Amino acid sequence: FFHAAERKNRPWHIIVTVDQSGSMLESTVFSAVMASIFAELPALRTSLVMYDTRVVDLSDKIREPIDVLMTVQLGGGNDTALALQYVRTLIRQPTRTICVLISDFYEGEGERRMILQIREMLQAGVRMIGLGALGMDARPFYNKPCATKLRKEGMDVLVCTPEKLAKCMAQIIRG
């Protein structure tokens, strides 16, 4: 009984963090819809952060995926480390937080900074899930060597459709 009551009082916080650089258009559409679905689940608190070389918190628009998509302004580059620094300011209970990073993992010179941010979040107890970019045909396109490095740090890296991600998230939350 205690554990059930504790789960109700301490909901999970899902932070969907989306790379919106130019190569991520199709994944951005999936991400907006997925975040709005998470936001409707009562046991979850959901935030939506999108980034390129800047960071935009769209959590206030999360229940309206069309509003999110109309806000998206795809840029050329990205700075995942900067986005993760912002995400860290949203975290109140690290062990009840899941950060879903949706990216193609192409970071260029910022890769080392990104890995450091992920390492620190994992060490704090945040569950990190990397979701490789998908095109409209559901074919993955992402930087496999970088994804391998992230797995070695302890991040779960998935390349899957939103349906499979929902099942994975349910398993994580149930324990």
Side-chain angles (χ1 to χ4, degrees):
F1 292 114
F2 173 76
H3 294 295
E6 178 146 339
R7 276 194 293 272
K8 285 182 183 177
N9 292 330
R10 294 177 41 202
W12 284 90
H13 184 189
I14 308 296
I15 306 171
V16 180
T17 310
V18 184
D19 175 353
Q20 67 168 7
S21 61
S23 62
M24 293 292 295
L25 174 62
E26 291 151 354
S27 284
T28 301
V29 173
F30 286 133
S31 303
V33 171
M34 180 182 50
S36 69
I37 292 168
F38 287 151
E40 295 299 323
L41 299 175
L44 302 178
R45 189 173 119 228
T46 307
S47 299
L48 176 62
V49 175
M50 294 193 154
Y51 70 95
D52 50 19
T53 55
R54 298 158 298 156
V55 178
V56 179
D57 190 331
L58 297 175
S59 300
D60 62 329
K61 296 180 179 6
I62 201 165
R63 294 189 189 283
E64 297 296 331
I66 299 299
D67 290 346
V68 169
L69 293 173
M70 298 305 269
T71 304
V72 170
Q73 295 182 4
L74 296 172
N78 65 350
D79 189 343
T80 304
L82 179 67
L84 293 174
Q85 285 173 345
Y86 176 78
V87 164
R88 289 175 74 176
T89 69
L90 302 176
I91 297 170
R92 301 292 174 256
Q93 296 175 315
T95 59
R96 300 289 290 176
T97 301
I98 301 170
C99 177
V100 179
L101 175 62
I102 302 171
S103 175
D104 57 11
F105 305 117
Y106 285 102
E107 288 298 309
E109 294 180 23
E111 184 178 298
R112 201 175 80 213
R113 290 178 30 250
M114 175 189 66
I115 291 171
L116 177 63
Q117 287 294 322
I118 290 169
R119 181 182 304 142
E120 289 175 0
M121 291 172 76
L122 286 163
Q123 289 171 349
V126 175
R127 182 73 182 257
M128 299 292 298
I129 298 175
L131 188 59
L134 291 178
M136 284 298 189
D137 60 357
R139 287 185 194 209
F141 63 95
Y142 65 100
N143 182 339
K144 291 180 178 128
C146 181
T148 299
K149 291 175 189 176
L150 298 174
R151 276 191 196 103
K152 287 180 182 175
E153 291 294 329
M155 178 185 235
D156 295 309
V157 178
L158 308 172
V159 181
C160 61
T161 61
E163 294 84 17
K164 187 174 177 185
L165 177 64
K167 290 177 185 176
C168 177
M169 296 294 284
Q171 288 177 336
I172 291 168
I173 291 169
R174 286 187 197 122

